[in-house]
Amino acid sequence: MRQRKHFLAVGLIFVVVAGLTYLFLSSIYQLPEAASAEAQPIDTLFTAHFGLIAILFALVMVFMVYSVFAFRARPGDDSDGEHFHGNTALEVGWTILPLVAVVVFGVWSAQILRDITDPADHTMTIKVVGRQWSWYFEYPEYDNLRTDTLVLPVDQKINLELTSQDVLHSFWVPEFRVKQDLLPGRSTQLIITPSLIGEFDLACAEICGSQHSYMLATVQVKSQADFDSWVEEQVAAQSNVEELLAMAPEARGEQWYTQYGCNACHSLNGTVVVGPSWQGLFGIERVFADGTTTVANEDYIRESILNPNSHVVEGFNPNIMPATFADTFVADEAKYGGQIMIVEDLIAFIKSLSQ
Ligand code: CUA
């Protein structure tokens, strides 16, 4: 009768302590929000581990602490405790149960690992390259588009092929849960199925030198429609740059002539529209409103485009030509990867009109 009372008490305390331990563990080890299909089974495993840890902790601590208090020696009791040797049922029990628990967790984890690393039916491959201390990404299925932000379509199984240009790095987006090392001279693989639209941080998780902690990149998960238009934009911009670089400077200048609206005010046939015609302009003498003169060389044309009010040719009015081209060009040149100087192309084009 007394024994049943003890077991009932221990059982109750055990349930309470196990529950509290579980709550405590899951509150101090909170995971970031889950943003990939691969995160779900991993989070389930975490939950199960927390549960198991809570049960084991409560089992050991509650039995021990309860025994210390409930079975302590009463005052004046100097007799030896009851002597017994072994309890076969208990020993078999505490051997079998942990064995079963470890095997179950082992098999379960192996299944999850197999599932979340299975590349079957992936819809896209993206190359991830790490180096001291930055990342870049290549999309072989989209003209080898190269970016420094990893942009992914939501709910698509993505196959990442990772490699390093120097030392070991590690690809880690905590919200995706999965993690993979990058090795020089070898390709490793990581499967990710983003499940949440948003922006996440990619960090390097392998110490790789003095700037390791700055080896970060942005991961953007977009809807399929947004991803498609992003790809289209990027591919167009990239092929545009290649095309532009292949052109002669004066040919590019001719393109800028219409693109930036120079043609609205400057003719190419000698007609004066609003501003001077560009025909035969290069190399001639210019007379300004204040009576000074200069030769229309490269420096003069550059100044006239970027800072149009600095010298106004006699017969023309100031403040007609927009003074914003300097800023516009700087911004647009950045889009072309800084490999093109728009104003130099325009000078080359104007020069060619005088030959
Ligand atoms: Cu790359 Cu740490």
Side-chain angles (χ1 to χ4, degrees), residues 23-176:
L23 289 178
F24 176 70
L25 284 175
S26 35
S27 72
I28 59 168
Y29 294 115
Q30 275 182 5
L31 296 167
E33 66 180 337
S36 77
E38 289 73 22
Q40 304 304 338
I42 290 177
D43 287 4
T44 308
L45 257 187
F46 259 97
T47 306
H49 273 98
F50 284 165
L52 189 69
I53 291 167
I55 288 170
L56 282 176
F57 176 81
L59 205 61
V60 174
M61 297 312 283
V62 170
F63 269 93
M64 188 176 72
V65 174
Y66 184 89
S67 303
V68 166
F69 280 98
F71 306 119
R72 68 188 185 277
R74 305 292 145 179
D77 178 5
D78 290 333
S79 63
D80 288 345
E82 192 190 336
H83 179 82
F84 61 89
H85 181 83
N87 183 326
T88 312
L90 205 55
E91 285 168 23
V92 169
W94 75 45
T95 306
I96 300 279
L97 282 178
L99 183 73
V100 170
V102 169
V103 170
V104 165
F105 269 86
V107 171
W108 187 19
S109 303
Q111 276 174 347
I112 289 177
L113 188 65
R114 183 198 61 196
D115 291 347
I116 65 175
T117 53
D118 181 9
D121 306 324
H122 70 263
T123 54
M124 194 198 306
T125 294
I126 300 173
K127 288 184 178 163
V128 176
V129 181
R131 56 198 169 170
Q132 289 171 316
W133 289 275
S134 63
W135 303 88
Y136 69 83
F137 312 96
E138 279 180 354
Y139 296 71
E141 286 148 56
Y142 297 99
D143 261 9
N144 278 323
L145 174 67
R146 183 173 155 163
T147 63
D148 52 12
T149 298
L150 180 59
V151 180
L152 304 171
V154 74
D155 295 330
Q156 297 285 333
K157 194 171 183 179
I158 312 291
N159 172 30
L160 298 178
E161 274 180 22
L162 311 101
T163 191
S164 166
Q165 288 183 349
D166 36 49
V167 299
L168 293 187
H169 302 281
S170 185
F171 179 100
W172 184 40
V173 179
E175 287 82 356
F176 292 160

